Amino acid sequence: MDWANPARQGGQHAHNLALVARLIAGHGPVSRAELAKRSALTKTTVTQLVGELLDAGLVRELGTTRHSGPGRPATHLVLNASGPVGVGLQVEADHVAGCVLDLTGRVRDRALRRVDDVRGDPGASVKAAEPVLRRLLASADAQDSVVAGIAVGVPGRVDAEGRVRSVELDWRDVPLSGLLLRRLESLSGGLIPVTVHDTFRLTALAEWWFGPGDVVPPLLVVGGELSLGIGVVEDGDSWDRGPVGPLGHVRVRRNGGLCRCGARGCLDTVAGPRALLRTAAPETPVTSRLPGGDGRMRALARSAAPESETALRRAASALGDALAGLSVVCEPARVVLGGHLAALGTEFADQVAGELGRRRPGDTPPVSVSTLGGDAVALAAAATVTRRLVENPARWLAS
C-alpha cells in the first residue's frame, strides 16, 4: 500500500466505489460475488465498498435468492429507490415545470406553473419557480427522501458560474444559480446545490437516457419549445460534453423574415415553433407544449390546407439545409426531432430525412421523432443529479 501518497489512495478508493455503484446500476439485481467478478476486485474490498454504499443510502439489499448449491444464499443489490433524489426544473418564457426523480429513474412527483411572458425579467422566472420548488421539496420530504441537488434547464448558453445568456428569454449574463440559491434559503436553508444547464443539451440527454433503448452515439437531437436548438451525445459515458447550441439562429434564407435575434433568414423564421404555429392561427398566442401548444402543432401536421402543407415543406427543406452541415461535422448515427417538432410526426421526419438525403446522398442518418413529453428537459435535469450520485458516490459520502 502506498502509505506515502494518501491522495492516490483516496483517488483509487473513489474510483472503486464508483465502479461498484455503476455495476449495481447497470446489472442489478447483482450479488457481491458477481460484483467481485465483474470488477476484478477482491470479495473483501467489494464487501467494504458495498457497506459504504448501503450506509449512504445509494443501494439496498433485496434479500436472498433461492439457493440449492453449497455455501450461503446470495444477497442481491439494487439502487435504492428510497435513497437521495434529484429535482429538475425547466424554465421557459411561459412556464416553469419540475419533477422529482429517484435513483432508479422513476418520477416521484411533477409540478407545473404557467406564467405570463417572463422575457427580460429573470426575477419573474425565479418567482414562478418558487411554488414549483416548494411543492417538489415538500413531496420529497413527505417521502423521507433527501434532495441531493437541483438542476435547471434554460434555453440559452450557460457559463461555468451558472450565468445565462438567452435570446429566447432576453437575458444577458443572468446569475440564475445564485438567484435560485437565495430563493432556496427560505425553503431549505440554502443547503441544496443548484446547477444550471443548456436546455438543448438536456433535450439530447433526455432522448439518450429515457428514449428508445436502440439508439447509439453520436445522437443528434433537434428540439426546443419556442426556439430551435441542437444537442449532441457523442459518448454516453461523457454526457456533459458534446456540441450544443441555438440552431434556430443559423441563417438558411437570404433576405428572409426578421428573427427575434435581429437578423434575417434564421432557421427559426422558417422551421421554428413560432413560425409554424402562426401558420395555422396567426392571431393566437404561441405557447410551449405543456401550456397547450402541443395540440396545435399536431393539428398543423394533420391539416390538408395548402398553406399548412407549404409551411411544413419549407420547414423540412430549411432543416435539411441546417442539418446537412452539422451531419458532416458530427456524423450522427441518428437524428431525433424533439420538442415541438416531435408533434409533427413521422411523416414530417421522413420529409426532413429526404431533404437531408438530397444534400448528402448515400450518407444519410435515419431521422425519427421523440416520444418524450413536454417536461423532458426537467426529467433530464433531475437525472443529471441522480446520475452524478452513482458516478461519484465518494463526493456524496463526503458531503
Side-chain angles (χ1 to χ4, degrees), residues 168-345:
E168 179 57 42
L169 296 175
D170 193 19
W171 290 2
R172 299 291 184 271
D173 297 324
V174 172
L176 184 60
S177 57
L179 292 174
L180 284 170
L181 280 170
R182 286 196 290 274
R183 182 69 63 170
L184 278 169
E185 287 180 1
S186 63
L187 301 179
S188 65
L191 299 177
I192 302 174
V194 177
T195 56
V196 183
H197 306 266
D198 190 311
T199 283
F200 304 123
R201 184 183 302 283
L202 294 176
T203 300
L205 289 174
E207 202 62 39
W208 178 255
W209 289 334
F210 301 102
D214 60 346
V215 294
V216 295
L219 172 69
L220 191 158
V221 181
V222 184
E225 292 299 319
L226 296 173
S227 179
L228 293 177
I230 63 150
V232 179
V233 179
E234 295 180 331
D235 178 357
D237 293 329
S238 302
W239 49 264
D240 56 350
R241 292 190 288 275
V244 62
L247 183 68
H249 303 296
V250 171
R251 189 181 182 188
V252 295
R253 293 288 184 270
R254 183 176 297 178
N255 300 321
L258 182 64
C259 182
R260 296 172 63 82
C261 70
R264 287 191 174 275
C266 294
L267 180 64
D268 265 350
T269 65
V270 183
R274 283 190 174 91
L276 290 171
L277 288 171
R278 284 173 178 153
T279 299
E283 304 304 321
T284 304
V286 174
T287 59
S288 51
R289 285 186 291 170
L290 287 178
D294 200 41
R296 290 175 57 196
M297 193 69 94
R298 294 184 189 281
L300 174 65
R302 295 191 300 265
S303 174
E307 60 270 21
S308 298
E309 294 179 350
T310 298
L312 291 175
R313 186 167 58 251
R314 292 177 66 237
S317 176
L319 278 168
D321 278 339
L323 291 173
L326 284 170
S327 63
V328 171
V329 177
C330 303
E331 296 185 339
R334 177 179 293 275
V335 175
V336 176
L337 306 182
H340 254 316
L341 294 180
L344 297 176

Side-chain angles (χ1 to χ4, degrees), residues 383-395:
T384 65
V385 176
T386 56
R387 285 179 175 264
R388 287 194 190 280
L389 291 174
V390 174
E391 294 176 2
N392 192 359
R395 185 174 182 179

Side-chain angles (χ1 to χ4, degrees), residues 56-58 79-85 102-103 108 144-147 389 396:
L58 298 178
L79 291 179
N80 185 10
S82 299
V85 297
D102 69 27
L103 288 170
R108 304 279 288 276
D144 292 325
S145 296
V146 176
V147 176
L389 291 174
W396 172 248

